[in-house]
Amino acid sequence: MSRKYSNTQRALASRAILEMDAFWAKTFADTGTSDLNYCDLFTHLWLVRDQPPQPKTELYPLMPNISRRTAVKYVQQAIERGMLEEQPCDSDRRIRLVSLTPQAIELIERFLDYTCLSFSAVGKES
């Protein structure tokens, strides 16, 4: 990385990160999914929202900062709280397929819009 940023730009980035985290917590507080590990999971799923639902077991690595055992609990809690929907796989009844619910997509897009706005001044020459 060859470009150097000023301390002013770095401070803007730092504030944007902190504000982004706080906005996530506030936006998802009522859903019980305000933990930032859900941010990792839901953001990954939002990126593939137009693809077929993912096998439940493939979601656990999408939360790299927690153990697999904890990730299993997080995914199940997200299902129980209505942020993820689960359905059987037609070709293999042992597999459960998971996707974001419309409510989750709406909240994630609100979060992403806020994040874009928060970072809009970062990197601009000052």
Side-chain angles (χ1 to χ4, degrees):
M1 192 162 150
S2 62
R3 182 169 180 196
K4 294 285 185 178
Y5 292 92
S6 70
N7 282 338
T8 300
Q9 291 168 311
R10 291 177 182 137
L12 287 170
S14 296
R15 283 189 205 96
I17 290 168
L18 295 172
E19 290 170 6
M20 178 184 74
D21 291 351
F23 190 81
W24 177 274
K26 179 180 158 188
T27 302
F28 286 84
D30 291 342
T31 68
T33 58
S34 61
D35 184 294
L36 290 176
N37 291 299
Y38 286 112
C39 181
D40 292 340
L41 174 62
F42 295 168
T43 302
H44 279 289
L45 289 174
W46 184 86
L47 288 169
V48 297
R49 69 197 175 284
D50 295 327
Q51 295 177 15
Q54 304 289 307
K56 192 174 188 180
T57 55
E58 290 183 20
L59 302 184
Y60 310 138
L62 302 179
M63 293 176 281
N65 297 313
I66 57 176
S67 70
R68 181 177 175 88
R69 184 179 193 145
T70 302
V72 169
K73 292 176 186 177
Y74 273 51
V75 168
Q76 189 57 43
Q77 288 173 354
I79 292 167
E80 291 168 3
R81 292 177 175 148
M83 300 304 285
L84 298 176
E85 56 188 1
E86 185 178 32
Q87 63 190 58
C89 177
D90 292 335
S91 61
D92 187 341
R93 291 290 183 197
R94 297 171 295 174
I95 297 173
R96 303 296 292 171
L97 301 174
V98 177
S99 59
L100 293 167
T101 63
Q103 176 192 10
I105 291 171
E106 178 185 331
L107 292 174
I108 292 162
E109 289 177 352
R110 185 181 315 161
F111 166 74
L112 292 172
D113 290 348
Y114 179 86
T115 301
C116 290
L117 183 61
S118 295
F119 281 94
S120 65
V122 177
K124 291 182 181 177
E125 297 299 320
S126 54

